[in-house]
Amino acid sequence: MKRDLIAIGDLSDRDILRLIAQAGDIAADPKAFSRALDGALLATLFLEPSTRTRLSFEAAMLRLGGRVITSADPKTSSAAKGETLADSIRMIGAYADAIVLRHPHAGAARLAARLSPVPVVNAGDGGHEHPTQTLVDLFTLVREKGKLDGLFVVLYGDLRFGRTTHSLARALTRFGATVLALSEPGLHLPDYVLDGVRQAGGSVADVEVSGLEGLVGGRPRGTLLAPPGRAVGTATLFLAPDQVDALYVTRLQKERLPSGSGGLRALPLIDRVFLEAAPFRRAVVLHPLPRVDEIHRTLDDDPRAAYFRQAAAGVPMRMAILGAVLGAFPPLEAPPTGPAPVLDAPPCGESACIAATEPHAVPAEAFAAPDGRLRCAWCEHPLD
Ligand code: NCD
């Protein structure tokens, strides 16, 4: 049976820990794995811009002894002629042994996985999820901080449209980390991410953050996500000296902002002054990149600036992922069955959902969230 990798929630804790360990083994001795996927062929289909994700997947495949075919420019793929994703995938699934897909619409990778006879790996589906970036992020945190359990991680930036944090927030709390999500109003984490944290036994609270006065202007409000067993009992969160283990920064996702949202501004720049604040003195700085203007370049040679080490970790982690999906390493466990689908779901109204853009290929599907609201099974947005 083929095994896709579509969402971080599809992976068991054991899968994630095994991938981190495998990536560590590969990083320690990459040559030992240079024939692991001899003769296998990967297709990368990227219908949105990418530098790191595509090149690190392709480098990973080549370093495992496999080969790669790629369609990296939406303008030169048949999508420019109006071909649907469903049709493209039916063919590419006959050309290669696995597909890595990046697509502008939420739910695209799940649709591709349903139609493809070969494994599909989600390299970013619109503003929804980016599970392989999360695996790279977790691997980086383990290398930088030696553990995940007990870490205190601040997510900072565009948390609404930045897909990396949607996968990361859910994964971190599963592994015992506490997450403080800091963003401008209008750019906070979507409800479905908070629901995911609650569903896994964690808790969520809006907090007023003290200890950052002078940095982010007054007392910012944030969302605190606590792992299972560590309830959030406070409306005011005082950030103590050295409390923050990692600061995960994301750029404003300008390409996903709805028109008319010009008023949204980015949070203050991360620079040396910012990191001199007592809570951040021991914090490593992560960013999925590309950075635009969120992190000052003078920080690059600070030992706490971990974002280029994080990008480099993409190759061994993606070698571990491809090896697991293509049978060179122990396979991933079967994904959880999830909540029962709701029949006769109303159509999804999200314009960036694959169910709205390819309705002929995608049945309307929904599930009931813990609060009883119906959510689209493709993009997770509420249907009412
Ligand atoms: C991110 C993405 O594409 O979501 N980049 C990446 O994959 N490393 C982050 C971003 O584009 O801001």
Side-chain angles (χ1 to χ4, degrees):
M1 242 267 288
K2 72 167 179 135
R3 176 62 164 93
D4 308 289
L5 202 180
I6 304 304
I8 200 72
D10 291 349
L11 295 171
S12 68
D13 290 358
R14 248 196 319 260
D15 284 332
I16 293 174
L17 295 174
R18 213 191 288 147
L19 286 167
I20 291 172
Q22 182 79 63
D25 290 348
I26 292 170
D29 186 8
K31 287 217 167 61
F33 299 87
S34 62
R35 308 206 68 94
L37 285 180
D38 227 355
L41 183 61
L42 175 70
T44 53
L45 175 61
F46 276 63
L47 297 167
E48 262 193 350
S50 170
T51 302
R52 263 155 305 278
T53 305
R54 186 171 66 83
L55 291 182
S56 62
F57 263 116
E58 295 184 358
M61 191 62 182
L62 296 170
R63 287 189 185 281
L64 288 166
R67 285 170 292 171
V68 181
I69 51 174
T70 189
S71 174
D73 178 2
K75 290 197 225 55
T76 62
S77 83
S78 280
K81 299 182 190 166
E83 184 168 73
T84 61
L85 173 68
D87 284 358
S88 301
I89 290 295
R90 285 190 182 101
M91 275 154 340
I92 298 168
Y95 298 161
D97 301 310
I99 301 171
V100 174
L101 172 70
R102 170 168 288 187
H103 194 278
H105 296 138
R110 198 169 290 289
L111 169 65
R114 289 234 184 134
L115 297 172
S116 164
V118 300
V120 172
V121 176
N122 183 6
D125 61 324
H128 181 221
E129 279 229 34
H130 195 348
T132 72
Q133 179 65 47
T134 289
L135 292 167
V136 174
D137 300 340
L138 298 179
F139 178 43
T140 305
L141 282 169
V142 169
R143 292 177 115 191
E144 299 285 332
K145 292 286 170 182
K147 60 175 187 174
L148 297 172
D149 188 26
L151 291 185
F152 190 95
V153 180
V154 174
L155 305 181
Y156 185 89
D158 180 350
L159 309 182
R160 178 172 175 200
F161 297 106
R163 55 193 166 201
T164 64
T165 56
H166 300 169
S167 307
L168 181 61
R170 294 191 262 201
L172 280 171
T173 46
R174 267 171 69 183
F175 284 99
T178 300
V179 173
L180 172 63
L182 277 184
S183 56
E184 295 295 336
L187 293 178
H188 26 67
L189 287 171
D191 281 352
Y192 63 78
V193 174
L194 309 183
D195 274 353
V197 171
R198 288 191 198 99
Q199 234 161 348
S203 49
V204 175
D206 279 332
V207 288
E208 189 184 46
V209 185
S210 73
L212 292 181
E213 293 84 349
L215 283 183
V216 266
R219 286 194 172 186
R221 299 202 66 82
T223 309
L224 192 66
L225 316 177
R230 278 174 239 168
V232 192
T234 170
T236 306
L237 175 73
F238 172 70
L239 284 184
D242 298 332
Q243 177 159 0
V244 181
D245 294 293
L247 175 62
Y248 189 98
V249 187
T250 63
R251 72 181 168 93
L252 191 63
Q253 307 278 304
K254 293 201 176 81
E255 69 275 37
R256 296 192 211 289
L257 292 179
S259 51
S261 49
L264 293 173
R265 64 186 176 90
L267 285 161
L269 183 75
I270 307 296
D271 57 11
R272 282 181 196 273
V273 176
F274 196 101
L275 290 189
E276 268 163 27
F280 291 105
R281 285 185 309 218
R282 284 186 323 105
V284 289
V285 181
L286 272 65
H287 191 306
L289 303 177
R291 124 184 89 181
V292 185
D293 49 15
E294 316 77 48
I295 299 181
H296 201 277
R297 275 155 185 75
T298 54
L299 208 61
D300 294 356
D301 52 12
D302 186 296
R304 292 167 295 177
Y307 30 92
F308 292 120
R309 298 194 289 277
Q310 177 188 6
V315 175
M317 177 47 85
R318 288 179 170 121
M319 288 170 77
I321 293 167
L322 291 174
V325 162
L326 282 164
F329 307 143
L332 303 173
E333 295 179 358
T337 41
V342 173
L343 300 175
D344 299 327
C348 181
E350 284 291 313
S351 59
C353 175
I354 197 76
T357 54
E358 299 205 9
H360 49 278
V362 179
E365 269 177 39
F367 63 91
D371 59 4
R373 289 175 83 186
L374 281 189
R375 289 192 184 278
C376 170
W378 302 95
C379 71
E380 299 188 72
H381 280 100
L383 289 175
D384 44 47

